[in-house]
Amino acid sequence: MGLGKIGTAIAKALIKVGINPSDIAGSVRSEHGLRRTQVELPGVHVTLSNGEIVKDAEVIVLAVKPRQVIDVINDVAGLLNEDKLMISVVAGLSTKLLGSLTKARVIRTMPNISILEGSGVTAVSRGPRATDADVEFTCSLFNAVGKCYIVNEEYLNAVTALSGSGPAYVAMIVEALWEAGILIGLPSDLAWSLSIDVIESGAKLLNSKKPWEIISDVATPGGVTISGIKFAEERGLKGLLMGMIESAYRRSTDVQKTIEDTIEANLSKLRK
């Protein structure tokens, strides 16, 4: 439910790893969205009706904006029984609250956009009525497009700040490396390729070495690398990166409170 950016990314990723498009159905909110998504996801059944896709589904991925949750759930409430598994990718929506809105079995996840390349990082938290088999299935789904971590739900705002937002941070670092390469005289295309390759090669090294071991291997006494490291340390590069993630975590926590307060307020109105 909700073929926006992340919903479409999940659908594309699943198709890329061999899921038949005809086994996927998705909903959108507008005729424009319908036409766009039909082009982006050929073979996938795309509709304006949430009920149409939920009726026969065994597994439902909830990928709408937080403010749309109540309307979307109310739209299909009668179809969401314990025979359905609902996997939420809605940031800031707790399984406790989602579980109170539906009778379906609930799992909460936080994937990142790298699922598009089969290298996604997804955290999975078990919610109301979910079984061990549901958790295993959800992990198998996201392991097909990257790596899955089962985590306590209390960590999901931190996960959102670190790995959920992480691809944007890496993109910023690569952009800085590329621009630095141009600044010191490299052709733009060479600087770009080197910047991407050094991130990939560095990540592979971290599979077998700790960061300080790599630094020790590369930074020879009085050499080029240690000069660059001194410059970064003097300007607080690590502190800056840590602060960036800490700021994202605080924002994620604030967003969750706002979302849940808004949903609770709307629920109170509906009860009256």
Side-chain angles (χ1 to χ4, degrees):
M1 290 195 289
L3 283 171
K5 285 184 180 178
I6 195 66
T8 300
I10 291 170
K12 284 181 176 178
L14 293 175
I15 292 167
K16 199 169 183 178
V17 297
I19 301 296
N20 194 321
S22 63
D23 288 331
I24 303 172
S27 63
V28 293
R29 297 186 68 199
S30 66
E31 290 287 349
H32 172 74
L34 186 71
R35 291 190 295 272
R36 171 188 59 78
T37 311
Q38 285 172 333
V39 172
E40 281 194 64
L41 298 171
V44 171
H45 177 58
V46 186
T47 175
L48 298 173
S49 169
N50 289 315
E52 186 180 336
I53 63 169
V54 169
K55 181 178 60 176
D56 298 319
E58 295 179 59
V59 180
I60 300 140
V61 177
L62 181 65
V64 299
K65 291 182 172 61
R67 66 175 180 273
Q68 298 167 349
V69 167
I70 287 184
D71 289 341
V72 169
I73 295 295
N74 283 339
D75 188 29
V76 294
L79 300 171
L80 294 174
N81 54 44
E82 291 187 14
D83 292 333
K84 312 281 188 184
L85 171 60
M86 176 171 284
I87 300 171
S88 171
V89 298
V90 181
L93 181 61
S94 70
T95 60
K96 180 180 178 181
L97 184 51
L98 184 56
S100 73
L101 297 174
T102 172
K103 294 179 181 178
R105 310 186 315 274
V106 173
I107 298 274
R108 180 180 171 189
T109 70
M110 174 45 63
N112 66 17
I113 200 68
S114 300
I115 60 174
L116 273 173
E117 295 299 324
S119 57
V121 178
T122 303
V124 170
S125 295
R126 182 175 181 162
R129 298 172 291 278
T131 66
D132 290 346
D134 291 333
V135 174
E136 185 179 342
F137 170 80
T138 304
C139 276
S140 70
L141 193 70
F142 286 103
N143 275 331
V145 290
K147 185 179 286 188
C148 173
Y149 294 86
I150 299 172
V151 303
N152 292 331
E153 189 170 2
E154 65 182 290
Y155 298 132
L156 276 187
N157 285 325
V159 168
T160 300
L162 181 57
S163 64
S165 302
Y169 308 149
V170 173
M172 290 175 65
I173 292 168
V174 170
E175 187 176 46
L177 292 173
W178 168 58
E179 290 173 346
I182 295 171
L183 177 66
I184 58 178
L186 292 175
S188 178
D189 56 347
L190 178 58
W192 179 250
S193 296
L194 289 173
S195 299
I196 295 172
D197 288 344
V198 76
I199 291 286
E200 290 181 348
S201 62
K204 287 177 180 175
L205 271 178
L206 287 167
N207 288 324
S208 59
K209 288 178 176 284
K210 301 299 183 186
W212 52 89
E213 291 175 328
I214 297 172
I215 292 170
S216 178
D217 288 344
V218 179
T220 54
V224 172
T225 304
I226 197 63
S227 176
I229 289 172
K230 176 177 179 289
F231 184 93
E233 292 288 4
E234 287 174 344
R235 284 153 182 81
L237 176 62
K238 283 189 285 191
L240 178 64
L241 292 172
M242 290 168 68
M244 181 170 66
I245 294 168
E246 185 183 28
S247 177
Y249 168 67
R250 288 197 302 267
R251 178 59 181 156
S252 181
T253 303
D254 290 344
V255 165
Q256 174 156 338
K257 187 176 187 308
T258 300
I259 289 168
E260 298 201 335
D261 287 349
T262 302
I263 290 177
E264 290 286 5
N266 287 334
L267 283 174
S268 298
K269 291 178 185 176
L270 287 173
R271 291 182 189 118
K272 291 176 182 178

